[in-house]
Structure formats: C-alpha cells, structure tokens
Amino acid sequence: DISGNDVNQDIFKDYKLALVNVWGTYSGPCLEEMPYLGELQNEYEPKGVNIAGIGADVQDEEMEVIDDQIKLAKEIEGTTGADYTHMIVSFDMLQLMNEFDAIPASFFVDSGGNIVSEYYIGSRSKKDWVDIIEKNLEQQQ
C-alpha cells in the first residue's frame, strides 16, 4: 500500500463486500468523492463493507514507486479523510487496470477478492454511493 505495507486479497476476507476505488492524485473528480468514501467506510464497515483505494499514478512505467507521488497520495488521504487502505498496483493487477480508460473507476469485490459488480466509471455523490452500495449488498445476500 502507499504506506509500504504488504497487502493482498486478505484485506477483503472479513467483509461481505468491498468497494475498490481506482483514483489519481491529479484527478479533480477523484479527489471530490474521496471525503464521501471516507465517511462511507466509517458508516458501512460495521455492516460488513470495506473500502479500498488503488493509487493509479504513484508508480512509473516500470512499476517503481515515485516517492513524490506517494507523499502526495498520503497527504490527500489525510486531507480528504479517506483513511482506508490505498494500494499500489502490482503486476497481477495490470490486466485489471487496463480495463479502465478513465478514473475514478470503482467496482465491488467479495470476501475472496472476486469482482462481483459492474465497473462504475466517474465520481458519485455520497447519496449515489449509498444507493450503489445498498444495491450491491442486496445482491450478495
């Protein structure tokens, strides 16, 4: 993750559902929705929903971490209140990342890390995310 911790799909195992949000430090729409996602993490974690981010622009073409971008991503995490896990892209995530031609891009995964929803491209309001989370939770019952 952006703090240097090893992360794998086990971050999903204790949750019914996880919302994964691909974002970039340069993207106004990404930064605009991050406070909502931070609030939703706090509100929905007791209901079995986790939120995780993937920083799309914190590595170079060789997948080496860019220190200044990691620093910026950590600052954004702090200032937006999006205090959930923010992963960096691993080699096994490259195919998934190539699915998106715009960010923010979000999707839901189950407790095994399997994608269980459509891709949601573009930012959403908090109310829109509540509706989307509730719909996906119902489908997991």
Side-chain angles (χ1 to χ4, degrees):
D1 66 9
I2 64 172
S3 297
N5 301 308
D6 285 335
V7 176
N8 60 35
Q9 68 188 34
D10 285 348
I11 66 169
F12 306 123
K13 72 178 183 176
D14 296 328
Y15 299 93
K16 297 176 199 170
L17 201 61
L19 169 61
V20 180
N21 176 257
V22 181
W23 66 282
T25 60
Y26 61 87
S27 169
C30 292
L31 304 181
E32 191 176 293
E33 76 177 353
M34 287 178 79
Y36 307 139
L37 296 177
E39 292 171 12
L40 291 167
Q41 168 71 12
N42 295 328
E43 294 168 18
Y44 275 87
E45 188 172 30
K47 299 177 183 180
V49 179
N50 189 24
I51 296 181
I54 300 175
D57 65 342
V58 296
Q59 295 158 277
D60 63 19
E61 294 81 23
E62 283 79 43
M63 305 216 20
E64 295 295 321
V65 169
I66 304 168
D67 290 335
D68 288 345
Q69 286 299 101
I70 289 287
K71 182 179 175 186
L72 179 58
K74 288 179 184 178
E75 289 173 13
I76 290 168
E77 175 187 11
T79 60
T80 62
D83 58 349
Y84 42 83
T85 301
H86 294 275
M87 300 174 278
I88 60 172
V89 178
S90 62
F91 284 106
D92 58 344
M93 295 167 68
L94 284 177
Q95 184 175 352
L96 171 66
M97 296 300 287
N98 287 331
E99 296 281 325
F100 311 118
D101 55 5
I103 57 173
S106 303
F107 53 92
F108 289 88
V109 299
D110 64 14
S111 59
N114 304 297
I115 296 173
V116 294
S117 75
E118 64 183 275
Y119 297 140
Y120 299 90
I121 306 300
S123 65
R124 304 288 195 285
S125 68
K126 183 176 178 181
K127 180 190 177 316
D128 287 346
W129 275 124
V130 166
D131 293 345
I132 292 167
I133 291 169
E134 290 292 337
K135 179 184 104 176
N136 278 277
L137 263 176
E138 283 177 25
Q139 292 173 349
Q140 289 301 302
Q141 302 300 335

